Amino acid sequence: MDSIIKPDLSGFENTIRDYVRYVLGKPMTDATSTDLFNGVSSAVRKLLMDIRIETEQRYDRRDVKRMHYISMEFLTGPLLANNLLNMGIQEDVRAILKNMGLDLDILMACEPDPSLGNGGLGRLAACFLDSLASLDMPGFGYGINYDYGLFKQSIMGGYQREKPDYWPSRSSPWLIARSGEKCMVPVYGRIVDTEDIEGGYNPMWSEWKLVVGRPHDIPVVGYGGHTANRLRLFSAWASEDFDIQIFNEGDYFRAVERKISSENISKILYPSDSQEAGRELRLVQEYFLVACAVQDIIRIYLKQHDDFNQFSKKVAIQLNDTHPALTVAELMRSLVDVHGLEWDNAWDITTQTLAYTNHTLLPEALEKWPLAIVEKVIPRHLQIIYEINRRFLETLTVNYPDDPQRLHRMSIIEEGDEKQVRMAHLAIVGSHSVNGVAKIHSHLVKTGLVPDFYDLWPEKFNNKTNGVTPRRWLLSANPGLARLITESIGDKWIVDLDTLKALESLGRDPAFLEKFSMIKRENKVRLARLIKKTAYIDVDPDSIFDIHAKRIHEYKRQFLNVMHIIHGYFMIQEEGVIPTAPRTYIFSGKAAPGYFLAKLLIRLIHGVADVVNKDPLVSQWIKVAFIPDYKVSLAEIIIPGADVSEQISTAGMEASGTGNMKFAINGAVTMGTMDGANIEIAEAVGPDNIYIFGHDVEEIQAMRGAYDPGKILAQSPHIQRVLNAVNSPLFCGWENDLFFPLFDAVVNHGDYYMNLADFQSYVDAQVRLSGDYVDKKKWAQMTLLNTARTGIFSSDRTIREYAGEVWGLERQI
Ligand code: 26W
């Protein structure tokens, strides 16, 4: 890594003062903290722009290959701290502000979280952008500039309430409107069959409405300050002369209504990360993003080329799940209809350019769009999809002449009562690379999800285990630990996380271990303050901080965790069995607004917390807290304060997980199943430094079908006691039978997520953990080894793999 280039800060203070005076029109004395946050950010943005412009000139001069990451979600979190750290000027700016009588930390706390994502998939995209810029690679993001990000969660009477989260993007200091580079997107309308001069078929897409995509750029500066790429987010607008017809007819209101309806496209992020909404507006959003991105990518390419011969050598496009899978059809449409290429040539270019990442195996999350909706929204694309499918099925008949069943299974169009487009098939057929996000997940993609495609094109399939950026998740979120590491082994880890290995030998140095543990304690104190402020609960930083923070979903098994808490409650209450160490169970996470059982689970956590925390005996040993409104800025406080990281999904269901990596890097010990990247974490840290329990993927698969939770229930008085309590008035307050549906799902509906099958093994592992925790030295060594051995989970490693094996992307230093 080349040394950090520090920008010139001589005009920094004046820029802040000018901003307050000339942009806000206030004397400095009247400026609020938010005003000053904006002032500082605009001074930082000035520095970013210099780097950004230089970077772009460098790329242009070299005519580099660029990678475009298309994603419906980018969960960046606050940007000021990250930008300052990456440019290496956080301490200088802190000093400048101090001189002005200002406190950087107070100003940073004013920055809202841009919540333009649901969870893992969106946060991964943000980590990738940080790594691309830090590796000085030309990688860019394309997304939607939603007015409303993911809802804000509050808790009332133990229930989740959702409030809209208006993201004031217009006033965000990081977002730069680029009105000069807008994209025109046709949508709706119909196909008129006409002939060209030679009598060939020449379909005309007519009567479409025109939507305008207005780009807004967020500069993404890499660590070291050499390179700034950008994340380009599109807002939807009605074109000025949109429906001029209706205006001319004198129907002013109808015209304005239409205008509003097209501007709805970028209004709101869909709040489910596991259930396809199947709504027309969602399809329009996906198409809108894809159409804007493809147009923009082609425009940039054509600045330096006059034909498409070099296209796939200069452009790589990564599809973040199937949400942008329409890129396959849109790129074909653009090349064939707009730029006049022959189909075969266009198809080669398309498949050589596109690559697809799968992020989930859950059947309910796999996108399928009814033909009727597709035809209504994008009639020309449906034709193109038919043609792609026709040719694809033709090649299949050659490969598998006597296997019509296989053709049915593989077709992009699903037959049935309601015909549907299978978006995963479209993405696979249109891409040269298909990857999963952890070893086991990639294996399951090949063997379980789309084995027919693997059989046909084994070479397309590969694995890219996820990673997280060490700049945000260690350097920024855990300044105490970052400082200790740098003092001990130097600062190379910031760009080469594998060097954390050098910490291993320090595990034999008691003084070092003591410092390491002290930092964890300070982070726990910081987290305890957050819990007090947001959940109004006093917790003891000397208890085990056992944390389950992620979206609430049955497969992530927060229910299993709650069962264990209830079990612990009864062991103390009824059997006088006191745990080896006091524990604080901390939950945080949002449930999709329409996901009844997930919301009920939040209510159950609060019901159990009420009983446990108020019990004079039990509360000395167990506390339960739910931190509302989980988001990036809270994760930055929660994760460094963890002793234990709960990663307890039913094996085979969590594609990878990335929270698991953040916790481990910050020295938490994982309590986990053999699922997703947990398997690779176990491999990295070694079996003595992780608690693995439960059935693995093969065992779960073998059990399915014959699994009978009733049998386990009948044999376990402990499970009976726990489930009876769930179904009793104990945790319900005055609401009778409140938790019956949770009980019912497990006891009477087959326990699809196999909570009971893993319960005993979970309890046993938790008992072992408590025993180890009280051995202070042993525990400190375990946590140190978690930090020291998880360097491979840096997203820099992931990006290097994609760059080398999928994108053909090079460093441009
Ligand atoms: C509304 C439909 C929908 C369906 C699926 C929206 C979003 C999704 C995502 C694919 C869900 C998701 O975020 N998957 C997570 O991706 C992470 C990054 O690869 C993984 O670490 C998680 O295991 C996976 O659940």
Side-chain angles (χ1 to χ4, degrees):
M1 175 87 218
D2 302 67
S3 58
I4 293 188
I5 302 184
K6 275 200 187 182
D8 174 15
L9 292 176
S10 54
F12 199 85
E13 177 172 344
N14 277 338
T15 312
I16 301 173
R17 292 185 183 279
D18 282 359
Y19 178 87
V20 172
R21 191 170 184 87
Y22 300 114
V23 178
L24 301 179
K26 288 182 178 181
M28 271 302 265
T29 43
D30 285 3
T32 64
S33 293
T34 298
D35 294 340
L36 292 162
F37 157 76
N38 282 309
V40 172
S41 301
S42 72
V44 170
R45 168 174 147 167
K46 235 177 112 172
L47 307 173
L48 288 174
M49 290 328 295
D50 287 333
I51 305 174
R52 173 82 198 103
I53 289 168
E54 188 283 320
T55 302
E56 202 53 41
Q57 289 170 342
R58 189 181 348 132
Y59 291 165
D60 275 351
R61 209 168 46 237
R62 300 180 191 171
D63 188 19
V64 302
K65 182 166 192 179
R66 294 161 191 255
M67 190 282 296
H68 305 280
Y69 199 82
I70 308 186
S71 175
M72 289 289 280
E73 309 187 10
F74 285 91
L75 195 49
T76 65
L79 294 169
L80 177 56
N82 212 231
N83 286 337
L84 291 175
L85 280 171
N86 278 7
M87 285 193 286
I89 56 172
Q90 189 170 68
E91 289 318 305
D92 307 70
V93 167
R94 189 183 296 283
I96 292 172
L97 294 178
K98 195 163 172 213
N99 232 337
M100 299 168 71
L102 303 172
D103 181 334
L104 175 61
D105 292 326
I106 293 178
L107 302 193
M108 287 196 305
C110 295
E111 181 169 4
D113 270 58
S115 297
L116 307 185
N118 270 289
L121 164 121
R123 181 54 232 177
L124 183 75
C127 283
F128 281 3
L129 293 186
D130 182 82
S131 284
L132 282 159
S134 297
L135 291 165
D136 302 292
M137 287 181 178
F140 303 84
Y142 279 106
I144 293 182
N145 188 26
Y146 302 104
D147 293 335
Y148 293 89
L150 188 60
F151 64 88
K152 275 193 182 19
Q153 178 195 55
S154 61
I155 302 295
M156 276 172 71
Y159 286 100
Q160 165 173 299
R161 286 285 137 84
E162 300 97 20
K163 272 190 273 175
D165 177 43
Y166 181 71
W167 188 49
S169 79
R170 257 169 289 246
S171 58
S172 166
W174 310 119
L175 221 69
I176 300 146
R178 295 266 182 221
S179 306
E181 293 173 10
K182 54 186 185 231
C183 296
M184 301 305 218
V185 179
V187 59
Y188 296 106
R190 63 194 183 90
I191 301 295
V192 184
D193 299 328
T194 59
E195 288 181 1
D196 59 23
I197 0 176
E198 280 134 38
Y201 178 56
N202 186 27
M204 286 253 298
W205 184 4
S206 72
E207 292 169 39
W208 31 261
K209 305 201 315 179
L210 203 55
V211 180
V212 180
R214 278 237 214 118
H216 300 256
D217 292 348
I218 298 181
V220 181
V221 65
Y223 186 78
H226 294 261
T227 293
N229 296 325
R230 71 163 180 232
L231 165 56
R232 178 158 271 198
L233 302 175
F234 288 95
S235 303
W237 290 81
S239 82
E240 239 89 285
D241 47 21
F242 181 81
D243 277 331
I244 199 83
Q245 184 99 26
I246 310 182
F247 272 109
N248 289 346
E249 285 164 13
D251 198 342
Y252 176 71
F253 277 102
R254 195 151 68 92
V256 173
E257 266 167 23
R258 286 275 195 98
K259 180 174 164 63
I260 294 169
S261 93
S262 36
E263 289 172 6
N264 277 344
I265 294 171
S266 57
K267 195 59 78 191
I268 182 166
L269 165 73
Y270 276 86
S272 172
D273 68 340
S274 54
Q275 188 90 47
E276 217 1 87
R279 297 276 183 84
E280 180 178 317
L281 180 60
R282 167 78 177 187
L283 182 71
V284 176
Q285 285 186 333
E286 295 182 353
Y287 165 63
F288 169 74
L289 167 60
V290 156
C292 290
V294 168
Q295 239 174 76
D296 205 51
I297 291 166
I298 291 181
R299 181 185 59 74
I300 293 168
Y301 171 80
L302 288 178
K303 280 204 292 192
Q304 292 185 293
H305 303 88
D306 1 283
D307 57 38
F308 287 89
N309 297 342
Q310 298 282 310
F311 193 79
S312 62
K313 290 199 185 65
K314 297 295 176 184
V315 178
I317 296 176
Q318 191 68 33
L319 307 176
N320 201 19
D321 214 275
T322 57
H323 317 151
L326 287 172
T327 304
V328 177
E330 173 63 6
L331 188 53
M332 284 301 287
R333 188 188 73 85
S334 188
L335 295 176
V336 174
D337 289 3
V338 182
H339 297 281
L341 270 64
E342 291 297 325
W343 181 280
D344 289 323
N345 186 19
W347 185 245
D348 287 343
I349 294 173
T350 297
T351 52
Q352 282 158 22
T353 303
L354 301 185
Y356 153 61
T357 305
N358 172 285
H359 294 267
T360 181
L361 300 170
L362 299 186
E364 65 270 29
L366 296 178
E367 281 192 296
K368 289 176 190 174
W369 286 103
L371 288 191
I373 299 184
V374 180
E375 179 162 33
K376 178 176 172 202
V377 173
I378 35 174
R380 179 61 185 142
H381 296 75
L382 182 60
Q383 281 192 321
I384 291 171
I385 291 169
Y386 277 143
E387 181 60 13
I388 293 171
N389 198 39
R390 191 187 64 76
R391 290 168 181 246
F392 170 57
L393 293 178
E394 220 170 69
T395 62
L396 285 186
T397 352
V398 177
N399 280 290
Y400 308 102
D402 307 311
D403 200 348
Q405 274 314 315
R406 185 184 292 261
L407 267 63
H408 268 110
R409 292 198 303 268
M410 296 181 76
S411 171
I412 297 172
I413 310 292
E414 184 175 272
E415 306 288 328
D417 289 347
E418 195 184 31
K419 290 189 183 176
Q420 298 190 305
V421 181
R422 296 163 166 157
M423 302 305 270
H425 293 201
L426 178 62
I428 296 170
V429 173
S431 300
H432 67 276
S433 163
V434 176
N435 76 280
V437 290
K439 279 183 202 163
I440 179 86
H441 168 65
S442 296
H443 171 75
L444 293 171
V445 167
K446 292 192 290 196
T447 57
L449 188 69
V450 287
D452 296 325
F453 285 93
Y454 178 56
D455 188 79
L456 178 65
W457 294 313
E459 69 289 347
K460 269 197 198 188
F461 289 78
N462 63 92
N463 172 246
K464 296 286 168 285
T465 298
N466 284 165
V468 302
T469 167
R471 271 74 61 182
R472 182 175 289 270
W473 297 110
L474 184 50
L475 181 62
S476 178
N478 198 342
L481 184 55
R483 211 171 302 124
L484 176 67
I485 296 173
T486 298
E487 279 165 19
S488 316
I489 62 167
D491 66 357
K492 193 147 182 287
W493 63 271
I494 301 171
V495 290
D496 182 1
L497 204 62
D498 280 325
T499 59
L500 291 181
K501 277 255 171 332
L503 293 172
E504 269 192 36
S505 57
L506 295 170
R508 289 188 291 275
D509 173 359
F512 180 82
L513 277 185
E514 175 64 22
K515 281 193 218 160
F516 197 83
S517 306
M518 277 310 295
I519 289 162
K520 180 61 81 183
R521 176 111 197 344
E522 284 158 19
N523 291 334
K524 288 169 75 176
V525 170
R526 177 170 75 152
L527 174 52
R529 274 200 299 270
L530 176 76
I531 293 172
K532 179 73 181 168
K533 200 172 104 192
T534 58
Y536 315 108
I537 295 170
D538 288 300
V539 300
D540 175 8
D542 289 317
S543 63
I544 302 176
F545 275 18
D546 177 328
I547 306 188
H548 206 160
K550 51 179 79 250
R551 286 296 285 258
I552 312 290
H553 197 294
E554 287 164 280
Y555 87 81
K556 296 179 187 280
R557 296 202 295 194
Q558 282 91 356
F559 187 69
L560 179 59
N561 189 340
V562 174
M563 282 181 68
H564 171 243
I565 298 172
I566 297 172
H567 171 71
Y569 167 81
F570 283 126
M571 291 303 284
I572 301 172
Q573 261 293 351
E574 296 189 350
E575 295 175 39
V577 178
I578 300 297
T580 323
R583 231 195 255 226
T584 304
Y585 294 90
I586 299 160
F587 292 87
S588 197
K590 295 176 184 178
Y595 192 166
F596 171 72
L597 282 181
K599 293 174 94 170
L600 193 58
L601 211 83
I602 292 179
R603 178 66 186 81
L604 176 63
I605 293 169
H606 285 90
V608 172
D610 260 0
V611 170
V612 167
N613 296 346
K614 283 193 191 120
D615 186 294
L617 171 64
V618 176
S619 65
Q620 294 171 35
W621 297 98
I622 301 178
K623 281 271 179 84
V624 181
F626 186 98
I627 302 174
D629 206 31
Y630 191 53
K631 54 184 165 184
V632 172
S633 57
L634 290 185
E636 289 176 8
I637 301 171
I638 293 171
I639 292 170
D643 294 310
V644 178
S645 156
E646 296 282 347
Q647 308 298 339
I648 62 176
S649 51
T650 314
M653 296 202 176
E654 188 70 89
S656 160
T658 45
N660 48 2
M661 301 170 183
K662 295 164 197 168
F663 278 102
I665 290 172
N666 280 280
V669 180
T670 303
M671 169 63 65
T673 45
M674 284 299 253
D675 196 16
N678 296 352
I679 298 175
E680 287 156 77
I681 293 177
E683 211 173 277
V685 303
D688 296 342
N689 302 298
I690 189 166
Y691 297 90
I692 294 292
F693 71 95
H695 294 77
D696 64 17
V697 171
E698 283 181 0
E699 291 163 345
I700 295 268
Q701 278 172 356
M703 257 192 323
R704 278 257 176 254
Y707 176 55
D708 178 8
K711 214 163 135 194
I712 301 177
L713 186 64
Q715 287 165 4
S716 168
H718 282 160
I719 298 181
Q720 287 164 23
R721 184 168 61 179
V722 167
L723 290 178
N724 287 339
V726 169
N727 196 29
S728 80
L730 180 58
F731 305 117
C732 296
W734 46 269
E735 297 167 276
N736 284 338
D737 298 328
L738 183 57
F739 301 118
F740 174 74
L742 289 169
F743 170 89
D744 196 37
V746 169
V747 176
N748 304 320
H749 294 281
D751 185 21
Y752 184 75
Y753 298 94
M754 306 212 173
N755 292 283
L756 302 199
D758 284 347
F759 178 79
Q760 193 54 49
S761 146
Y762 184 50
V763 171
D764 294 344
Q766 291 286 20
V767 169
R768 273 193 289 130
L769 185 151
S770 290
D772 293 341
Y773 183 80
V774 291
D775 182 344
K776 286 291 155 216
K777 187 170 163 224
K778 176 174 182 180
W779 187 262
Q781 273 165 342
M782 280 176 77
T783 76
L784 174 67
L785 288 179
N786 267 272
T787 299
R789 294 179 177 175
T790 44
I792 45 163
F793 300 107
S794 165
S795 46
D796 297 348
R797 188 265 313 145
T798 315
I799 288 297
R800 277 199 200 94
E801 289 177 5
Y802 276 104
E805 297 161 30
V806 180
W807 302 329
L809 206 63
E810 284 166 3
R811 291 196 65 177
Q812 300 295 337
I813 188 73

